[in-house]
Amino acid sequence: MPKKILVVETGGTFATSSVASVRTLSNYENEKTIYEYDSILFRLEKYDIEFEKIRPIFTLSENLTIELLNILIDALYKVDYSKYVGIIITHGTDTLAYTANIISMLFSHKNVPIVFVSSNHPIALPEANGVYNFAAALDFICTVEVQGVFVVYKNFRKDIEIHLGSRVKQMLQVIDSYESFKNVCFGKIIDDRFVYNENPLNPSVENLNKLADPKPTNSLKLTKRVMLIYPYVGMRPDFFNINENISAVVYGVYHSGTFCSAECGEHSINSLIEKLAEFKIPLFISEVSSGLDKYESFNNLTQEGNIVNIAYDISFENLFAKVTVAVDLFDNTTDIYNYVNNTNVFFEKVKE
């Protein structure tokens, strides 16, 4: 009896076609689908597998919202993972990193690989990498017995890399490439087989399979809102509309792990902290490495209402995902802080 792989279709460029020079999902049913390509049919026979398909949402990923993400999450909670050797989620590239990080926090302990697949162009175009990515996902699922959430992507260097879903960064602008946090991917697909990246920052397959969920859930709905802020020269934090509808703020840093503080006046992060303190809204700051000396900007932080939290050794994208999950998992700030800082849900912490 063939082994089963569940394909969760969500749309994205992977499902688009070019109609009158516009990339659209509207023509999907009339186009050649991923399941009809020779390289995919070859692997169905090679690995003795068959597909089951569900389509909980169908959208261009730039249009993804928390409401649509909840529909996807609910569909994944309903999956009987014991029926499958792996799950493939087709997704658009624009927001894949955020979805993969959130799904990693919730579904990385299901005893099967859950692999995100995307395409830089509609798959019918000769320059597209979507068919390569989907084929590589099948190679990974069928040759590696591992649990977790992963992203497979053929980058602009033509390397097919495997990233942990909890470490994948937003795609680089203009060029087609995902990177892992601290630039250490989990491995590559070479000649149809997975080659592990021997790097001290990588967990082994064995350790991935040993990992248990620190806060297992049978269902979770993302109901609260996290504001994401990334600094730039001239930014005025006091321009942001801080109110009781915000459950937490995730704040990015410059390359050196720095931000405008103290003598920056109205541009200072301290003006934001003072406003957050009025509403008792926690502030989380990343990406910061724990092993390096800190700049004076850290010493200049206002510790107003004890709301400031430096989240060390995790990516900006994962911090957003982890906080987004945490504010619905827990009712108090202490538990939220503890979950963000003191749990390693799916090896998102990368400490050198």
Side-chain angles (χ1 to χ4, degrees), residues 108-271:
S108 55
H109 313 89
K110 297 297 184 181
N111 298 314
V112 297
I114 299 172
V115 184
F116 278 82
V117 168
S118 58
S119 185
N120 57 345
H121 302 288
I123 61 174
L125 299 183
E127 63 268 32
N129 62 12
V131 177
Y132 293 100
N133 295 336
F134 197 95
L138 296 178
D139 293 331
F140 180 70
I141 288 171
C142 295
T143 63
V144 186
E145 294 184 4
V146 64
Q147 70 168 350
V149 178
F150 305 89
V151 175
V152 58
Y153 198 81
K154 183 179 182 181
N155 64 26
F156 68 98
R157 303 181 190 92
K158 311 304 180 185
D159 294 325
I160 302 177
E161 294 183 326
I162 306 291
H163 306 270
L164 295 183
S166 58
R167 295 185 181 183
V168 70
K169 300 279 297 168
Q170 271 287 85
M171 179 171 279
L172 297 176
Q173 292 293 92
V174 183
I175 64 173
D176 296 320
S177 186
Y178 286 110
E179 292 184 355
S180 288
F181 183 47
K182 299 202 175 178
N183 204 29
V184 178
C185 70
F186 184 58
K188 296 180 181 180
I189 297 294
I190 301 175
D191 295 330
D192 301 344
R193 296 193 66 83
F194 173 67
V195 177
Y196 174 70
N197 182 10
E198 297 281 354
N199 187 292
L201 297 182
N202 264 335
S204 66
V205 168
E206 181 182 12
N207 285 337
L208 286 177
N209 288 334
K210 288 180 180 178
L211 199 63
D213 193 345
K215 181 67 174 176
T217 60
N218 294 320
S219 64
L220 181 74
K221 188 172 184 179
L222 305 178
T223 63
K224 298 178 181 178
R225 294 295 179 262
V226 176
M227 176 180 280
L228 203 58
I229 300 176
Y230 202 84
Y232 57 88
V233 174
M235 187 177 74
R236 288 277 300 273
D238 59 327
F239 282 1
F240 292 103
N241 181 19
I242 304 301
N243 58 66
E244 65 277 0
N245 296 318
I246 300 169
S247 296
V249 171
V250 171
Y251 195 96
V253 297
Y254 293 122
H255 159 72
S256 301
T258 58
F259 35 78
C260 181
S261 62
E263 66 272 10
C264 303
E266 61 192 7
H267 300 285
S268 172
I269 189 176
N270 290 331
S271 66

Side-chain angles (χ1 to χ4, degrees), residues 76-89:
L76 292 175
Y77 273 122
K78 292 176 180 176
V79 170
D80 180 358
Y81 292 89
S82 65
K83 291 173 54 180
Y84 306 103
V85 294
I87 314 292
I88 293 176
I89 301 177

